[in-house]
Amino acid sequence: MRKISSVLFAIAALTAARYLITPVQAQQDAATPPPPPAYSPPLTGASPAEDTPAQREALAKWKEKAEQRTDADRKAHNATVIPSYNFHYGKGNPFTPGNVQVQGEGFLQPGAYPTAEYCGTCHQEAYSQWRQALHSNAFRTPFYRASVNILIRDKTRGIAFARHCDSCHNPIGVLGAALTEDSKVDRARFDSDGLTCMTCHSVVSLDSTNGNASIKMGVPSVIVDENGERIPGMVPFDMILRHPERHSKAVMHDFLHTPEFCAACHKANLPSPLNDYKFIRAFTAYDEWQQSKFSQRNPLTFYTADFTTCQGCHMKRNANALPDYGAKNGTFASHRWLAGNTAVPFYYGFDTQLNKTIEFLRTGNYLNVDIIALKKAGGDDLIAPLGKASYSLASNDTVEAYVVIQNKNIGHSLIPEVRDLYEAWVEFTVKDAGGNEIYHSGFLRPDGMLDPRAHSFTNRPVNDEGEFVDNHKVWTIHSVAYDNSVQAGRSVLVRYQFRLPADATGAFAVTAKVNYRHLRQSYLNNVFGKGHPAYPIVEIASRSRVLKIGDNAPEGEDPADNPDWMRWNNLGIALLDQFQYAEAVKAFTETVKLRPLYADAYINIGLTEIAWEKYESARLAIRRALILDPNSARALYYDGLLQRRAGNTEQEIADFSKVVKMFPQSRDARRELGITYYQQNDNPAALEQFEALQKIDPDDLTAHYNLSILYRRMGKSKEAAEQQAMFVDKKVDPGAPTYSLNFLRLHPEISTESIPWHMHSDLEENTGVGVAQNGK
Amino acid sequence: MANDRASLKSALRRMGPAVMGLCLLSLPAAAYGANTCPWINEATASGLLGRKAVGEVTEAAAGQPFICTFTQQDESGKRTLRVTVEIVGDSHARQGAIAQACGADVVPLRAIGNEARICAADEHKNRIGERVVGRVRDQVFTITIYTTVKDDPILTRDELKSRIYTAAEQISGNLF
């Protein structure tokens, strides 16, 4: 009788899970789901419930039947799908060009994954957030489909190649053999859920940090038995509620909390099996994070911060509004994964997700905008820092404004990932007291397209004809004409030039904003055709200053401004990245004046002088930094470089070794120490460093190159050949810049963006062309 | 020799049902036909109609749309999923014109294609159905799911609304 009631309960529970939760098509409605089954969480520190022999026996029987059913379903599914499956890359590589793998034999039937509605019965907060988030919509959105459909329809490619994209966007489809011309798979069962709960929570191991879905998917299981063995498929809720610890063991692997888990898909490359060309890095938010101050793995960052993972920013804990048995102390790790995507919630009408995304972008203190300096035509003096300096302006003055944009608290680049589709730019205006525009850069044209001469934090991938790859045909990308993204912690200097009117009087408002649009207009036009609604534009950060004709006295500080020493420091960083070494040293020297005990200011002078090849003065600066902070890993690293140049090998090794000891995951220190040992013919020590480096960054070219030589010397010809092949595949094609030059030659309106030091101006003497007033 | 041949024939006759059974067993559980409809496969259509359906297509001709029809028929009646797609200059106007046939009960359907509307498709007696009319760029599509099964336990009115949304998402997704 008990068995019958248990079965009936299971059926009732599973039926409820299927039907009682808000169906997909009504996601915009804020329907209130029914309450979850009754549950009293165990007291903190309480032992797990003890099963009776009868309960153990019942569980064992359930497990046996679940395994039999799952295996039988899998065999039947494989018998259905394999005969018509396109094994384009051979029988042994059914998921290539993606890196995803699956536990067990053959394809995994989509029905093996417990549904999101099933999980949502007890995890209502997670479900409601997930439903509006990017992960649940990873496949179905027009923005993705329009792109992947081009690949599928391409005569030289086809749906088999789309496994590269869908391994992350629709892994259930890839692993279930749906991605083939003559698919026998019912796609309505999973397409709408993209990355459902039981895709992430079924991953059993991370195979590497190579990206492109470098994970192994387990047979989905929501509970383990008393021996820790996974029980496949859905189980009655009372089974989970009796043993929440077993549920956690099945679905909550420790790696879910790590950046390496995110790296599986937030790192991507275009491999030769996809593009018939060679490895091209697509994006790697993971490496950018690893090189940022938030990872605490890189001693060379300009600033420091508390350790913060991807999850720390994108899965912040919030008080839960709906019942969720996964909540801790009334809070739940956000399953909205708030980031920059406003397009998807805008399209689906997910207003909560849209508003929270905008709030996330605006309130994170991610960027700092600083109109730091002015320069008048005909003079070399920099009026800086604005707000502190006194100066005078006259009508008809030609003025240069220096705007520093600091990527202050983003753990990756601005913009990250598919920066050929996303659009962030600086909108710079000069207006008189009446609101009349004197100058405007970064405006939107009536057709929604961005001013082509705007300073945008984007890139321009080009194909082998030198044409911009406008519609994300990534397999045609051969080069990048320019990449103006700002790496984490760095700053960029954007220069604007304008002329004050001949009859100018009074005050002028100068404003610099960083705007963000997801996605750029021409891509939206590709997706929808022209005439679609305007997609949201979010102002992430801005700063205004008032310039007066006549004398300008120092102003009060704005609390949002960086301290002056940091303003100079950021200017120095930006000048360094634009190869303006003399000016960079001057800016860093101003930092020293304001903060004479700040060792990093001296290091910044030193590293600039190393780049400038002024080694003697660099030594002085680094020595000064080491006096102030003898254990500064950053100073020791640059000292190591200087010791190498001076031939002091012992000190060079000592410096780099100390850095490696303090920062064992510093790729730069490992690389340099490896090179030092290699030059000393200490092959085992060099090998150790390069192998460690490759574990940190599997794509490091120096590691590939040196390991191929070292392995060959050791007689490991197979390993040597592998490293050599990877080096050749990953090394940038020396002919690729030609494609970029072709593009830039054809697009003079934006070609200046590829030059690190450039000026935005609408003055005819600078543009060389007659440009309509105000840049328009 | 003759005896040998006779015994072989006899043996084959005896084995016939078993061989046929083995052949049938080795066939996949749901042996779907080759996919000829570009926007939805037979397995997906079958899932939407509740049972295994058979598809056929009519390629676009002058002034006529491309049509995919999936049907599942048994003694209780017929369940049908019909998709039409045509490319026109003013797709917004064309979509509106087709939707006019829906009458007054037409409702906008969010997040399907560029724009879409849904209405009942109960044109015939003894048949209930739902229809979505929409467009993706310059492609105008109609999707109709209907059943002639009396008091259909699978395609109830609510299920029709739910399933046609899923069908519309599949088809519009493939049209993007």
Side-chain angles (χ1 to χ4, degrees):
Chain A
M1 193 61 172
R2 195 168 52 201
K3 278 181 193 166
I4 293 171
S5 67
S6 172
V7 169
L8 286 175
F9 177 81
I11 292 168
L14 297 180
T15 308
R18 166 67 182 83
Y19 291 108
L20 293 185
I21 299 290
T22 315
V24 169
Q25 65 270 28
Q27 294 140 19
Q28 294 92 338
D29 304 331
T32 307
Y39 172 62
S40 302
L43 296 172
T44 310
S47 301
E50 192 70 35
D51 284 346
T52 63
Q55 284 171 322
R56 276 201 289 274
E57 188 188 341
L59 182 68
K61 279 189 180 162
W62 179 284
K63 178 168 177 276
E64 187 185 351
K65 284 195 175 164
E67 285 170 347
Q68 285 170 354
R69 187 174 55 245
T70 304
D71 287 349
D73 287 352
R74 191 166 184 175
K75 279 182 185 139
H77 180 74
N78 277 280
T80 303
V81 299
I82 285 175
S84 64
Y85 191 73
N86 178 356
F87 288 93
H88 182 83
Y89 297 97
K91 291 259 180 189
N93 303 302
F95 313 125
T96 304
N99 289 338
V100 67
Q101 296 295 325
V102 67
Q103 214 172 30
E105 290 296 312
F107 298 100
L108 182 63
Q109 69 277 22
Y113 299 81
T115 63
E117 289 75 21
Y118 170 81
C119 306
T121 306
C122 292
H123 298 290
Q124 294 187 3
E125 180 76 4
Y127 178 88
S128 73
Q129 294 180 355
W130 164 85
R131 188 64 269 177
Q132 297 197 344
L134 269 295
H135 284 167
S136 71
N137 298 290
F139 177 76
R140 66 175 177 162
T141 73
F143 318 108
Y144 175 68
R145 297 304 307 275
S147 173
V148 78
N149 285 348
I150 293 174
L151 174 61
I152 292 169
R153 292 175 193 139
D154 189 285
K155 285 188 170 64
T156 65
R157 295 294 185 277
I159 194 167
F161 291 76
R163 294 167 200 156
H164 172 263
C165 323
D166 275 6
S167 289
C168 280
H169 284 267
N170 194 349
I172 297 180
V174 172
L175 297 174
L179 271 82
T180 193
E181 288 80 359
D182 194 12
S183 167
K184 307 299 179 193
V185 179
D186 177 357
R187 300 198 58 143
R189 300 182 71 169
F190 53 87
D191 278 355
S192 297
D193 286 356
L195 298 172
T196 189
C197 319
M198 289 308 291
T199 45
C200 288
H201 290 280
S202 296
V203 172
V204 289
S205 64
L206 309 177
D207 290 345
S208 69
T209 47
N210 277 317
N212 294 5
S214 295
I215 51 114
K216 179 175 262 189
M217 187 73 75
V219 174
S221 156
V222 296
I223 199 163
V224 298
D225 68 8
E226 68 269 29
N227 302 315
E229 291 181 10
R230 293 162 68 82
I231 299 174
M234 293 190 277
V235 301
F237 295 124
D238 67 340
M239 204 181 271
I240 295 174
L241 297 175
R242 182 171 169 72
H243 285 292
E245 80 287 354
R246 291 185 190 169
H247 178 50
S248 289
K249 201 164 180 188
V251 300
M252 283 304 297
H253 294 286
D254 286 344
F255 57 66
L256 287 172
H257 302 287
T258 67
E260 283 68 28
F261 181 67
C262 308
C265 278
H266 291 275
K267 177 168 178 173
N269 62 69
L270 309 169
S272 53
L274 174 73
N275 60 15
D276 287 337
Y277 175 44
K278 67 197 307 306
F279 174 103
I280 290 182
R281 166 62 59 217
F283 58 80
T284 173
Y286 170 75
D287 291 80
E288 290 169 358
W289 168 83
Q290 201 184 47
Q291 290 293 76
S292 82
K293 62 181 178 178
F294 295 108
S295 75
Q296 296 192 341
R297 296 178 185 177
N298 177 10
L300 306 184
T301 58
F302 286 101
Y303 300 104
T304 57
D306 292 339
F307 177 77
T308 310
T309 59
C310 319
Q311 293 87 340
C313 282
H314 297 288
M315 292 187 78
K316 280 189 173 153
R317 296 194 81 85
N318 293 304
N320 46 310
L322 291 169
D324 198 304
Y325 292 154
K328 285 177 186 159
N329 302 320
T331 66
F332 194 77
S334 172
H335 279 55
R336 287 191 183 278
W337 296 282
L338 294 174
N341 195 321
T342 51
V344 167
F346 181 78
Y347 178 75
Y348 286 99
F350 295 152
D351 293 340
T352 309
Q353 179 80 10
L354 179 61
N355 292 335
K356 284 182 180 292
T357 302
I358 293 170
E359 189 185 341
F360 175 85
L361 286 169
R362 282 183 174 157
T363 59
N365 192 23
Y366 297 120
L367 301 179
N368 181 275
V369 178
D370 185 2
I371 305 172
I372 189 171
L374 298 178
K375 203 179 204 181
K376 288 196 276 185
D380 284 335
D381 293 339
L382 202 60
I383 302 164
L386 284 186
K388 294 293 169 67
S390 298
Y391 60 96
S392 64
L393 291 173
S395 58
N396 221 26
D397 270 354
T398 298
V399 179
E400 290 176 16
Y402 282 30
V403 180
V404 170
I405 315 285
Q406 180 193 14
N407 181 345
K408 191 173 185 180
N409 282 313
I410 312 179
H412 49 67
S413 61
L414 167 75
I415 352 176
E417 304 204 334
V418 280
R419 49 184 73 114
D420 58 315
L421 301 185
Y422 311 156
E423 192 165 63
W425 72 97
V426 183
E427 184 176 10
F428 182 83
T429 56
V430 182
K431 290 180 181 174
D432 67 16
N436 302 306
E437 274 181 10
I438 308 299
Y439 178 73
H440 193 173
S441 173
F443 52 85
L444 287 186
R445 297 192 321 206
D447 62 2
M449 300 284 279
L450 175 63
D451 164 13
R453 298 191 303 142
H455 192 93
S456 63
F457 304 107
T458 183
N459 72 357
R460 282 289 181 278
V462 295
N463 64 16
D464 60 359
E465 300 288 330
E467 293 162 346
F468 174 44
V469 181
D470 183 37
N471 47 10
H472 206 57
K473 286 169 76 168
V474 293
W475 65 98
T476 67
I477 293 173
H478 275 55
S479 184
V480 175
Y482 71 84
D483 185 346
N484 278 353
S485 51
V486 187
Q487 289 305 311
R490 299 192 92 92
S491 293
V492 67
L493 172 61
V494 192
R495 292 173 170 86
Y496 295 96
Q497 187 187 53
F498 52 92
R499 183 174 295 142
L500 295 169
D503 56 352
T505 56
F508 293 83
V510 179
T511 303
K513 300 176 186 174
V514 177
N515 294 330
Y516 181 71
R517 176 164 60 179
H518 197 111
L519 308 134
R520 64 179 159 73
Q521 186 76 356
S522 63
Y523 188 71
L524 290 167
N525 292 347
N526 290 336
V527 175
F528 294 116
K530 289 180 181 171
H532 55 79
Y535 271 64
I537 293 171
V538 182
E539 180 190 309
I540 302 177
S542 71
R543 183 69 166 94
S544 286
R545 288 195 177 275
V546 175
L547 313 181
K548 287 183 285 188
I549 298 294
D551 291 335
N552 288 263
E555 306 159 27
E557 284 187 17
D558 185 318
D561 285 347
N562 286 325
D564 287 343
W565 69 264
M566 190 184 276
R567 296 177 69 194
W568 281 113
N569 207 41
N570 289 339
L571 178 63
I573 293 165
L575 288 162
L576 167 66
D577 284 349
Q578 294 182 348
F579 311 112
Q580 307 299 302
Y581 300 129
E583 288 81 1
V585 169
K586 275 186 199 167
F588 290 132
T589 303
E590 293 297 324
T591 305
V592 167
K593 284 182 197 167
L594 293 168
R595 228 184 136 184
L597 301 181
Y598 181 49
D600 278 285
Y602 296 97
I603 300 171
N604 294 343
I605 292 171
L607 75 91
T608 306
E609 287 175 330
I610 290 172
W612 200 4
E613 300 184 359
K614 290 181 174 291
Y615 300 107
E616 281 313 308
S617 50
R619 264 185 205 104
L620 291 174
I622 297 297
R623 199 168 300 153
R624 186 66 197 265
L626 283 168
I627 290 168
L628 288 169
D629 184 358
N631 290 318
S632 164
R634 190 163 175 249
L636 286 166
Y637 173 85
Y638 291 109
D639 192 60
L641 294 181
L642 291 167
Q643 299 293 353
R644 175 186 291 163
R645 175 152 286 273
N648 302 326
T649 308
E650 256 182 55
Q651 190 55 45
E652 175 189 347
I653 291 174
D655 282 348
F656 289 139
S657 298
K658 206 167 172 186
V659 180
V660 164
K661 197 172 176 189
M662 287 190 276
F663 288 86
Q665 289 177 287
S666 164
R667 54 182 73 183
D668 300 286
R670 293 272 187 194
R671 189 185 305 112
E672 295 306 330
L673 187 55
I675 289 169
T676 305
Y677 283 133
Y678 180 87
Q679 287 173 338
Q680 297 304 308
N681 284 324
D682 188 345
N683 291 346
L687 189 76
E688 183 189 340
Q689 295 308 320
F690 289 128
E691 285 182 339
L693 171 58
Q694 199 159 72
K695 278 186 186 151
I696 301 164
D697 178 9
D699 304 321
D700 190 282
L701 285 177
T702 307
H704 285 314
Y705 182 84
N706 287 288
L707 283 172
S708 75
I709 295 171
L710 291 166
Y711 285 143
R712 186 149 288 126
R713 284 180 187 168
M714 294 164 69
K716 294 180 170 180
S717 52
K718 183 172 168 281
E719 288 86 345
E722 283 170 0
Q723 293 294 336
Q724 187 180 2
M726 284 190 277
F727 174 78
V728 170
D729 188 37
K730 292 177 186 177
K731 189 175 183 299
V732 172
D733 173 4
T738 312
Y739 312 128
S740 298
L741 292 173
N742 283 344
F743 170 82
L744 293 169
R745 194 170 54 241
L746 293 169
H747 295 276
E749 75 280 8
I750 57 172
S751 62
T752 51
E753 293 295 308
S754 68
I755 302 164
W757 193 107
H758 62 268
M759 180 75 76
H760 296 84
S761 172
D762 64 359
L763 300 181
E764 203 168 323
E765 59 266 36
N766 286 324
T767 60
V769 289
V771 178
Q773 200 179 3
N774 303 345
K776 291 178 187 171
Chain B
M1 181 65 87
N3 278 347
D4 286 351
R5 198 169 290 158
S7 60
L8 182 62
K9 262 187 178 175
S10 166
L12 282 176
R13 206 175 294 128
R14 283 198 306 274
M15 285 168 62
V19 169
M20 187 171 277
L22 278 172
C23 290
L24 285 174
L25 278 176
S26 66
L27 281 175
Y32 297 112
N35 293 323
T36 48
C37 181
W39 308 291
I40 189 165
N41 67 30
E42 211 170 87
T44 307
S46 297
L48 291 167
L49 293 176
R51 288 181 190 157
K52 189 183 170 319
V54 177
E56 64 174 65
V57 299
T58 307
E59 302 230 359
Q64 296 298 315
F66 194 110
I67 303 170
C68 304
T69 309
F70 299 90
T71 51
Q72 184 272 308
Q73 187 156 23
D74 57 30
E75 62 282 355
S76 61
K78 188 161 81 167
R79 300 184 180 96
T80 304
L81 166 63
R82 188 169 186 270
V83 183
T84 72
V85 177
E86 58 187 308
I87 297 172
V88 293
D90 189 345
S91 57
H92 172 72
R94 174 69 178 147
Q95 187 253 170
I98 297 174
Q100 271 197 338
C102 283
D105 73 338
V106 68
V107 176
L109 194 57
R110 185 149 194 175
I112 293 295
N114 283 51
E115 55 182 327
R117 299 179 225 195
I118 185 170
C119 63
D122 303 337
E123 287 93 350
H124 303 286
K125 204 179 160 192
N126 303 326
R127 158 183 152 173
I128 63 165
E130 289 288 327
R131 176 171 296 129
V132 167
V133 183
R135 73 178 179 96
V136 170
R137 296 187 295 268
D138 60 350
Q139 305 162 104
V140 175
F141 63 86
T142 68
I143 306 162
T144 313
I145 302 182
Y146 61 87
T147 176
T148 63
V149 177
K150 194 171 184 321
D151 299 325
D152 194 330
I154 296 172
L155 297 182
T156 62
R157 178 64 74 187
D158 283 349
E159 274 298 310
L160 279 166
K161 285 180 192 292
S162 169
R163 290 177 190 222
I164 200 158
Y165 183 91
T166 308
E169 193 164 77
Q170 282 284 324
I171 290 155
S172 62
N174 284 319
L175 284 167
F176 270 111

